Amino acid sequence: MLSQHPSRLDRKISGLNDRWRFPRESYLGDLLGLSQYSRATGVDISDELKIIDRLHIPQLQKILTGSIKRKPSQDTLADVTLDCLGFKWELHQPQLFHSGTLTKLYISALSQKHTDPLKELEKLLIADLPKEQPKKSPVKKILISLKINDPLVTKNAFATALKSLYSNETILHIEDVLGVLASAHILQFTSLFKRCVSLMKDGISPCTIQPYYTAACKYNEELLVTACEKWLEMNLVPLIGKQIHLRTIPQELLQKVLKSQRLFTFNEFELLKTTLYWVYLQLNLKLQAIPIYETVLAFFGSFPKKCSFLERELGQKFLPVFQCLRLHGITNSKDLENIKHINFFPETWIVRILANHYHALESGGDMFQVRDLSTQGIRFGLLINQRIKYSEMNLPAAVYERSPVSLRPERLMKYEIRAQSLVDGNWEEFSTNMLTQKFGLIKSNNKSHSLKIETVGNPIFVTFVFIFPIS
């Protein structure tokens, strides 16, 4: 019988220094070996160079920058000129390799200027060996051009991005961070891009939420998109809903936040008021300050009564926003009367809300039209800015004011208690999860479960969500 032998690992020798590789391995990442091999065998290296340019730029960057100091000495002359934004930027070869885009442009310029571009790259590697550095650059000055059409990129922002090629500690100013982010994206400068994202996550506010979210979507930065969404979930009603910056929130983002189970609101009517303000500001772009609520009601009530606002051509585009609300959670008679008076919602919506309330009262409070706690539960929120004890009575009146009560000796309820707070740029979330419990007048079942949390975050956004199922 013939014996089985493992396949042999042949090798090929490249150049006089006995550099070798396995036959099926590419020379990618071994520029010195590739250059020597091409001269020894006469093989055209242009195809290999194209592969490097197309698929292995990150590897090439790592090789060319791995043992090179970030900052050149003061007497080192610039050997690359970048023509961009109408200016000539003087750069040094080792530093530009931290940018994927500039690396590609440089290799492309070498291939056009030299018959053996890898020989020029080989000079860079040889010049970087631990020995006395020559004062003169080993490669002649190269001109590269970059055309930028992104309106976010300014001269100052682009200059900051190029400066960051030389130092990891370049100061980023919040007023330039959008432009630097855009510049880092165009330059394929990953570390700088991440620094910008981190700074923007910590700087989300009513005046920055819109440009940050738009940029995050534009550059497919999911971490920043999520951070913007989470910030708005907590601050839509208590903060930005009372400022003129509410106008800047894109409708797509608003709808997504309104559907979120984590959305904080004091009650369902406060959320409705915020959305009415948002529509009002979309239609009155010249306003520089947010008006009182009565002004908003008067505006929508001024339209002819032949049809509701949402049924008009002007209002139909806003219909998906209000379909995200839980209008069945608005029970105050005065609030319902105002909603009906301004003729904002279709009549069928008003009839359905009132009919559901009537049937609930008739059946002792059972909410027969509500099934899902997570998407239909009525929300009641409390914003805690200081530590309080469970026995503390110095709470807002809305927390403990009396409301109509059920005459039943027992009441079945599904509910959940949630708390959220921001700590070191990350949101902490606590929850009891959904609980089903019978409440009554006797001591054994007249208290709900409690949610105990430990956090240093301030404020704490507390939400109580409930429904009365059929019982």
Side-chain angles (χ1 to χ4, degrees), residues 57 59 69 187 305 328 390:
I57 288 297
Q59 294 181 15
K69 294 181 180 180
L187 292 174
K305 304 298 182 181
H328 60 273
Y390 68 92

Side-chain angles (χ1 to χ4, degrees), residues 355-366:
N356 288 339
H357 289 343
Y358 175 81
H359 289 306
L361 291 173
E362 190 179 48
S363 59
D366 290 347

Side-chain angles (χ1 to χ4, degrees), residues 81 96 105 147 166 176 183 193 244 288 378 392 449 468:
T81 300
L96 71 82
L105 292 174
K147 185 177 181 180
Y166 293 79
D176 293 327
S183 301
F193 189 87
I244 195 67
Q288 298 300 315
I378 299 176
E392 178 65 63
H449 288 261
F468 295 134

Side-chain angles (χ1 to χ4, degrees), residues 396-444:
V399 175
Y400 54 82
E401 67 179 3
R402 296 294 181 179
S403 297
V405 297
S406 173
L407 297 179
R408 289 183 175 185
E410 289 185 331
R411 156 61 60 197
L412 182 65
M413 176 186 284
K414 289 184 178 181
Y415 68 96
E416 178 184 358
I417 305 173
R418 295 195 295 261
Q420 302 172 82
S421 62
L422 184 63
V423 178
D424 296 332
N426 297 309
W427 286 96
E428 293 183 342
E429 299 183 10
F430 310 89
S431 174
T432 61
N433 296 320
M434 187 183 74
L435 299 169
T436 301
Q437 183 179 347
K438 277 189 176 182
F439 290 90
L441 299 177
I442 61 176
K443 189 174 182 180
S444 60

Side-chain angles (χ1 to χ4, degrees), residues 17-270:
N17 62 356
D18 197 27
R19 300 174 68 87
W20 66 275
R21 66 180 180 92
F22 294 120
R24 295 183 181 180
E25 288 184 350
S26 170
Y27 279 100
L28 300 175
D30 185 4
L31 300 177
L32 187 59
L34 177 57
S35 178
Q36 293 178 349
Y37 172 74
S38 64
R39 289 196 297 270
T41 62
V43 174
D44 186 2
I45 64 170
S46 59
D47 292 337
E48 290 281 353
L49 182 60
K50 291 178 181 178
I51 296 175
I52 293 175
D53 184 33
R54 186 174 66 249
L55 299 177
H56 294 266
I57 288 297
Q59 294 181 15
L60 182 58
Q61 288 177 262
K62 184 176 180 180
I63 294 167
L64 293 174
T65 61
S67 58
I68 299 175
K69 294 181 180 180
R70 290 286 296 233
K71 193 172 183 179
S73 58
Q74 294 183 354
D75 59 348
T76 303
L77 298 177
D79 40 24
V80 178
T81 300
L82 171 63
D83 184 1
C84 185
L85 299 176
F87 297 91
K88 297 290 194 299
W89 310 85
E90 300 295 323
L91 303 173
H92 298 79
Q93 289 170 332
Q95 281 64 44
L96 71 82
F97 290 127
H98 291 283
S99 160
T101 299
L102 297 183
T103 301
K104 293 176 184 178
L105 292 174
Y106 183 76
I107 293 178
S108 176
L110 282 181
S111 64
Q112 295 177 12
K113 189 172 182 179
H114 301 279
T115 57
D116 190 354
L118 283 184
K119 181 179 179 181
E120 302 303 317
L121 291 176
E122 180 185 332
K123 292 180 180 179
L124 285 178
L125 297 176
I126 294 175
D128 190 52
L129 294 176
K131 62 181 181 179
E132 183 180 353
Q133 297 293 324
K135 294 184 178 181
K136 186 177 180 180
S137 174
V139 182
K140 294 181 180 180
K141 202 165 192 178
I142 295 293
L143 174 64
I144 57 178
S145 299
L146 177 62
K147 185 177 181 180
I148 297 179
N149 296 319
D150 193 329
L152 290 178
V153 179
T154 64
K155 175 188 174 183
N156 289 339
F158 193 70
T160 300
L162 294 181
K163 184 178 179 181
S164 299
L165 294 171
Y166 293 79
S167 173
N168 290 323
E169 301 178 356
T170 302
I171 298 176
L172 300 181
H173 298 286
I174 193 67
E175 60 270 18
D176 293 327
V177 70
L178 272 174
V180 178
L181 178 82
S183 301
H185 175 78
I186 291 172
L187 292 174
Q188 298 178 20
F189 193 177
T190 304
S191 61
L192 178 60
F193 189 87
K194 290 181 178 179
R195 283 187 64 198
C196 292
V197 169
S198 179
L199 182 62
M200 293 166 72
K201 284 177 61 179
D202 294 336
I204 300 175
S205 67
C207 61
T208 63
I209 177 71
Q210 184 273 333
Y212 284 9
Y213 177 77
T214 301
C217 294
K218 179 178 181 179
Y219 303 125
N220 299 316
E221 181 47 50
E222 289 298 325
L223 289 177
L224 186 55
V225 169
T226 302
C228 291
E229 292 173 352
K230 183 62 180 177
W231 184 91
L232 192 59
E233 289 168 359
M234 295 297 100
N235 293 283
L236 175 63
V237 173
L239 182 60
I240 197 172
K242 297 176 174 59
Q243 300 184 19
I244 195 67
H245 300 294
L246 177 64
R247 171 193 289 146
T248 66
I249 303 301
Q251 182 169 339
E252 170 266 333
L253 174 59
L254 180 62
Q255 289 177 212
K256 190 171 184 178
V257 168
L258 291 176
K259 293 178 181 178
S260 172
Q261 298 179 22
R262 299 185 299 267
L263 173 64
F264 174 85
T265 181
F266 298 112
N267 53 60
E268 302 302 334
F269 182 67
E270 288 296 324

